[in-house]
């Protein structure tokens, strides 16, 4: 047995089990025969085991330096450290698709354990098996991770240096894939609900799965921002790169669904919107993969190109047509008949969902416009950060505004007493903005400060109402914490407001300076005194490194680096970042004296409040985890009111 043999066997079996499972699931639905459904369910676990075997085979090939595998020869070298070797399966196209396939079988396995009526269970399994057929079909035909070479080399070239330059490579892609793949389950639930015309319970079941995927997507995006911040050497965390945009769109659409789903569960409205958001969110994950893997764009994230572009584009069109086609068929049945008032909680939730969806539309248009112009006019144009910022700032401010007032509004119609809270919040917003202006901040930063305080006040009002309600009922005020959905959503809302504040200040007050220093020379900049003490060269096996020795009066010695990889013509910066709650100090080595090490060019970037972005990201993940944490039996009996 060799890794290639085991891997090909695993992919083939996973494909065969998925095809058979798809056929049985469709027969179960078409014939109304539970025996076919039980047969389909029995194939879920073998498909997962086959996918796991294929994935372990690739790890086996990497760990044993089996360069007869083309994937290993292209993406691994004998000098790679163990942790780089272990994460190399998702460093390139074929391995990434294998990871996607493995996670897809895992989600199918988990979804098959959920209790559903046999009609919907059959179609949910059919859709998930269908997705598996696509991915294992791609691996079996045009993107095999187990292709062998007739004349294997003695050593490989190793993965892209950008991917082995930071430990976040081990975390960020897996989180993103867990989020992307997780959205296939809500899509399957939506297809099953529309095909069977059973709309009563699907939204609550789907909301749980969407929240799982959304939590992973959120954590993955924050991890990616951190990776970009520490690896790319430009001192920023978001560049409106096409691949960043492609992964942002499903997050926005999933967020829109999470809000309108509350309305359907509570008021029975927005059914059509929910089906549309779930369909488009899943389709956007496939579209994002098409952008990443097809080579149609140039991006710092486009690590893996290959012949899979047309296949993913076709799969995107198929998924979109299936979801929207079914929605068109049942549109009369899911149309909202009850009137709702805009100044109510459902009105705020719908408007917020429109903001998220509108933001997604802007990102899609800005990302694809250059491709369309080049395709139809042959001209090369670019859409940069100013375009996206122009739309994102007001949309983000609108979302923060609705996020504060929405949970305080009652369903159906706002009562007079609600206006007292609204006036209070508006006063906090105005005072916060004026405070920022009085301190000399820009209008944008001042408004961000006002919106942060406004949301903080709204959260405190909600906590106060919840605690007082329990006290009046003679219950322990601490029981408020058992309302996981409300408490978790408040934590997430606070984190979003905190992130908005950090983004506004870090984008507005970034300070950047560069200077060439000779050995022993000092530099006074941004309240720091830097003294250049020389450079040091290091041989780290898989790469050379040169680090500048810089003594600072506040942080001791810092050592920004340049890494030289044999695969790259130019060095890769490895900045030294000193995180503080107020400012981040980002030290970069730009160039140095290659003969005597007597001078070095250093860049210092000082950016406020970036530290709080990572704190906000952690809080968003914790809040989501708190919502998803299994409720206690007592809470299940009592029931939980929606946030």
């Amino acid at each position: 047995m060799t890794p290639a043999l085991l891997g090909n066997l695993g992919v083939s079996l996973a494909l065969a089990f998925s095809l058979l499972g798809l056929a049985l699931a469709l027969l179960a639905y078409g014939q109304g025969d539970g025996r076919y459904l039980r047969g389909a369910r029995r194939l879920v676990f073998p498909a997962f085991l086959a996918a796991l075997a294929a994935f372990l085979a690739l790890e086996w090939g990497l760990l044993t330096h089996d360069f007869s595998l083309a994937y290993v020869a292209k993406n691994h070298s004998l000098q790679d450290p163990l942790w780089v070797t272990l994460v190399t399966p998702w460093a390139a196209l074929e391995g990434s698709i294998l990871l996607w396939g493995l996670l897809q079988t895992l989600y199918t396995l988990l979804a098959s354990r959920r209790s559903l009526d046999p009609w919907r269970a059959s179609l949910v399994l059919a859709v998930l098996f269908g997705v598996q057929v696509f991915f294992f079909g791609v691996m079996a035909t045009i993107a095999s991770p187990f292709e062998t070479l007739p004349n294997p080399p003695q050593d490989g070239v190793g993965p892209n240096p950008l991917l082995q330059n930071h430990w976040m490579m081990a975390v960020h892609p897996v989180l993103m894939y867990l989020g992307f793949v997780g959205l296939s389950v809500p899509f399957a639930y939506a297809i099953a609900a529309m095909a069977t015309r059973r709309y009563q319970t699907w939204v609550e079941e789907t909301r749980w799965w969407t929240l799982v995927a959304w939590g992973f997507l959120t954590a993955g995006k924050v991890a990616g921002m951190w990776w970009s911040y520490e690896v790319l050497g430009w001192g920023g965390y978001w560049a409106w790169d096409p691949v960043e945009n492609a992964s942002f769109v499903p997050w926005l659409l999933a967020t829109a669904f999470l809000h309108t789903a509350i309305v359907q569960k509570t008021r029975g409205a927005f059914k059509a919107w929910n089906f549309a958001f779930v369909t488009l969110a899943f389709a956007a994950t496939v579209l994002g993969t098409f952008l990443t893997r097809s080579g149609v764009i140039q991006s710092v994230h486009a690590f893996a190109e290959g012949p899979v572009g047309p296949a993913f584009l076709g799969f995107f069109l198929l998924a979109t047509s299936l979801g929207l086609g079914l929605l068109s068929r049942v549109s009369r049945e899911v149309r909202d008949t009850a009137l709702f008032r805009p100044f109510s909680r459902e009105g705020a939730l719908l408007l917020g969902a429109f903001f998220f969806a509108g933001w997604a539309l802007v990102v899609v248009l800005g990302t694809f416009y250059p491709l369309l112009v080049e395709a139809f006019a042959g001209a090369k144009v670019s859409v940069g950060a100013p375009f996206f910022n122009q739309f994102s700032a007001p949309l983000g401010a609108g979302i923060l505004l609705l996020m504060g007032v929405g949970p305080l509004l009652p369903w159906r119609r706002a009562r007079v007493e609600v206006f007292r809270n609204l006036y209070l919040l508006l006063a906090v917003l105005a005072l916060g903005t004026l405070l920022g202006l009085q301190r000399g901040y820009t209008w944008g930063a001042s408004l961000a400060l006002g919106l942060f305080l406004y949301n903080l006040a709204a959260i405190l009002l909600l906590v106060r109402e919840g605690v007082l309600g329990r006290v009046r009922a003679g219950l322990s005020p601490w029981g408020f914490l058992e309302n996981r959905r409300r408490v978790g959503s408040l934590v997430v809302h606070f984190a979003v407001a905190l992130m908005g504040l950090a983004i506004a200040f870090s984008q507005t007050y970034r300070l950047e300076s560069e200077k060439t220093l000779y050995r022993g020379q000092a530099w006074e900049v941004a309240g720091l005194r830097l003294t250049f003490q020389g450079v040091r060269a290091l041989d780290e096996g898989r790469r050379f490194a040169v680090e500048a020795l810089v003594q600072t009066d506040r942080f001791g010695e810092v050592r920004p680096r340049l890494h030289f990889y044999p695969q790259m013509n130019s060095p890769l910066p490895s900045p030294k970042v000193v995180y503080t709650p107020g400012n981040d100090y980002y030290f970069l080595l730009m160039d140095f004296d290659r003969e005597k090490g007597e001078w070095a060019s250093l860049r210092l970037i000082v950016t406020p409040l970036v530290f709080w972005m990572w704190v906000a990201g952690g809080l968003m993940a914790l809040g989501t985890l708190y919502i998803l944490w299994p409720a206690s039996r007592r809470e299940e009996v009592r029931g939980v009111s929606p946030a």
Side-chain angles (χ1 to χ4, degrees):
M1 182 69 76
T2 64
L5 184 59
L6 177 61
N8 281 318
L9 183 62
V11 169
S12 300
L13 285 175
L15 177 59
F17 290 140
S18 301
L19 276 168
L20 188 55
L22 172 62
L24 289 175
L26 289 175
L27 277 172
Y29 177 71
Q31 301 292 325
D33 192 332
R35 291 174 298 176
Y36 292 122
L37 177 58
R38 288 194 294 275
R41 281 179 167 151
R42 290 193 187 103
L43 292 169
V44 171
F45 190 60
F48 167 72
L49 287 181
L52 181 62
F55 186 82
L56 293 177
L58 188 56
E59 290 282 14
W60 178 17
L62 289 163
L63 289 168
T64 57
H65 315 301
D66 184 352
F67 296 111
S68 67
L69 285 174
Y71 186 87
V72 177
K74 291 177 184 174
N75 302 289
H76 174 64
S77 76
L78 295 172
Q79 290 75 34
D80 289 348
L82 178 61
W83 77 267
V84 172
T85 301
L86 289 173
V87 305
T88 296
W90 50 87
L93 173 68
E94 295 84 356
S96 298
I97 295 176
L98 177 57
L99 175 63
W100 190 308
L102 172 63
L103 295 177
Q104 188 67 58
T105 60
L106 177 62
Y107 271 109
T108 304
L109 178 63
L110 296 174
S112 69
R113 304 293 176 90
R114 288 273 174 161
S115 177
L116 287 177
D117 64 80
W119 302 101
R120 287 190 302 142
S122 302
L123 287 181
V124 166
L125 271 183
V127 172
L128 294 175
F129 272 130
V131 177
Q132 289 180 195
V133 167
F134 170 75
F135 279 98
F136 289 104
V138 166
M139 281 183 267
T141 53
I142 55 177
S144 171
F146 301 103
E147 180 185 349
T148 55
L149 298 173
N151 299 304
Q154 296 298 312
D155 195 0
V157 295
N160 186 319
L162 280 172
L163 301 178
Q164 53 180 307
N165 207 38
H166 197 279
W167 62 269
M168 193 63 79
M169 169 59 187
V171 178
H172 161 57
V174 178
L175 292 172
M176 290 302 298
Y177 282 123
L178 281 167
F180 276 6
V181 181
L183 287 176
S184 67
V185 183
F187 174 69
Y189 273 68
I191 295 296
M194 287 188 286
T196 59
R197 289 183 158 91
R198 300 182 183 201
Y199 318 117
Q200 299 306 313
T201 61
W202 84 273
V203 73
E204 183 59 16
E205 298 152 351
T206 305
R207 189 172 184 270
W208 188 91
W209 285 105
T210 308
L211 197 56
V212 172
W214 184 89
F216 282 122
L217 267 182
T218 302
K221 291 211 66 67
V222 173
M225 290 161 68
W226 199 352
W227 173 85
S228 175
Y229 187 59
E230 291 215 343
V231 168
L232 298 183
W234 60 291
Y237 45 81
W238 191 265
W240 294 110
D241 179 89
V243 178
E244 290 175 344
N245 297 348
S247 63
F248 190 36
V249 171
W251 184 89
L252 288 168
L253 293 170
T255 308
F257 167 75
L258 288 174
H259 289 83
T260 50
I262 298 173
V263 183
Q264 181 173 342
K265 180 175 183 297
T266 307
R267 297 288 317 279
F270 304 164
K271 297 186 190 77
W273 285 111
N274 287 326
F275 284 127
F277 286 144
V278 167
T279 297
L280 294 176
F282 172 69
T285 66
V286 182
L287 184 65
T289 308
F290 161 72
L291 273 181
T292 311
R293 308 304 188 200
S294 64
V296 299
I297 58 165
Q298 296 298 316
S299 163
V300 295
H301 294 76
F303 300 117
E305 299 176 4
V308 299
F312 272 89
L313 186 59
F315 188 54
F316 161 74
L317 294 174
L318 175 64
T320 308
S321 302
L322 178 62
L324 297 186
L326 281 172
L327 179 56
S328 173
R329 193 185 69 154
V330 301
S331 59
R332 290 179 181 274
E333 301 166 25
V334 298
R335 182 181 300 166
D336 294 332
T337 54
L339 293 175
F340 71 92
R341 296 178 184 278
F343 201 69
S344 61
R345 187 177 296 188
E346 55 265 47
L349 287 167
L350 182 61
L351 187 56
F354 282 167
F355 274 35
F356 283 113
W359 201 348
L361 180 62
V362 168
V363 175
V364 169
L365 290 176
T367 304
F368 279 88
Y369 179 73
L371 299 177
L372 295 175
V373 170
E374 186 173 356
F376 291 104
K380 287 189 175 294
V381 299
S382 62
V383 176
F387 167 82
F388 293 105
N389 291 336
Q390 185 177 10
F391 288 96
S392 298
L395 286 168
I399 288 169
L400 288 173
L401 197 62
L402 289 169
M403 194 175 75
V405 71
L408 285 164
L409 294 174
W411 299 103
R412 292 185 176 85
R413 177 188 292 184
R415 298 184 298 272
V416 175
E417 55 267 29
V418 171
F419 287 94
R420 288 199 296 269
N421 288 335
L422 181 59
Y423 295 147
L424 176 62
L425 292 182
L426 290 177
V428 172
L429 173 61
L431 288 174
T433 305
L434 289 174
L435 175 64
L437 292 172
Q438 189 270 333
R439 292 178 65 86
Y441 299 150
T442 65
W443 266 103
S446 299
L447 181 60
L449 177 62
L451 284 169
F452 172 73
L453 295 174
Y454 159 90
N455 275 284
L456 183 60
I459 291 169
L460 292 175
L461 283 173
L462 286 166
V463 172
R464 174 178 174 273
E465 286 185 0
V467 170
L468 286 180
R470 291 187 60 85
V471 170
R472 291 192 195 101
L475 301 172
S476 166
W478 297 107
F480 176 75
L481 296 174
E482 295 178 6
N483 192 335
R484 296 186 182 281
R485 183 171 295 179
R486 169 154 293 199
V487 174
S489 68
L490 291 180
V491 172
V492 172
H493 282 187
F494 172 76
V496 171
L498 181 61
M499 185 168 283
L501 181 70
I503 290 173
F505 274 75
S506 61
Q507 294 289 318
T508 306
Y509 295 109
R510 172 185 159 116
L511 173 69
E512 185 170 342
S513 188
E514 184 174 338
K515 189 177 181 65
T516 298
L517 299 175
Y518 287 84
R519 188 189 297 270
Q521 186 179 357
W523 180 24
E524 302 275 353
V525 59
L528 286 179
R529 179 181 174 83
L530 314 179
T531 304
F532 172 60
Q533 297 179 323
V535 295
R536 181 168 63 179
L538 301 167
D539 181 356
E540 298 182 334
R542 61 194 170 114
R543 68 188 179 196
F544 291 132
V546 173
E547 59 184 20
L549 309 178
V550 181
Q551 186 67 37
T552 72
D553 58 348
R554 289 179 58 185
F555 311 120
E557 187 177 74
V558 296
R559 299 178 181 178
R561 285 179 156 211
L562 285 175
H563 288 157
F564 294 81
Y565 289 90
Q567 307 97 307
M568 297 189 77
N569 296 322
S570 56
L572 195 61
S574 178
K576 171 62 182 176
V577 187
V578 178
Y579 295 95
T580 74
N583 291 306
D584 274 10
Y585 295 86
Y586 195 94
F587 299 89
L588 273 165
L589 172 60
M590 305 302 296
D591 200 0
F592 61 96
D593 179 3
R594 284 168 168 72
E595 293 184 359
K596 298 180 180 178
E598 289 298 315
W599 60 266
S601 293
L602 301 173
R603 178 178 293 172
L604 174 66
I605 302 173
V606 182
T607 315
L609 302 192
V610 177
F611 171 83
W612 296 103
M613 294 200 49
W614 319 130
V615 173
L619 287 174
M620 291 170 78
L622 285 175
T624 307
L625 185 62
Y626 193 73
I627 296 172
L628 292 171
W629 200 263
S632 67
R633 192 167 181 179
R634 184 177 56 176
E635 187 180 353
E636 287 176 349
V637 170
R638 188 173 56 249
V640 181
S641 63

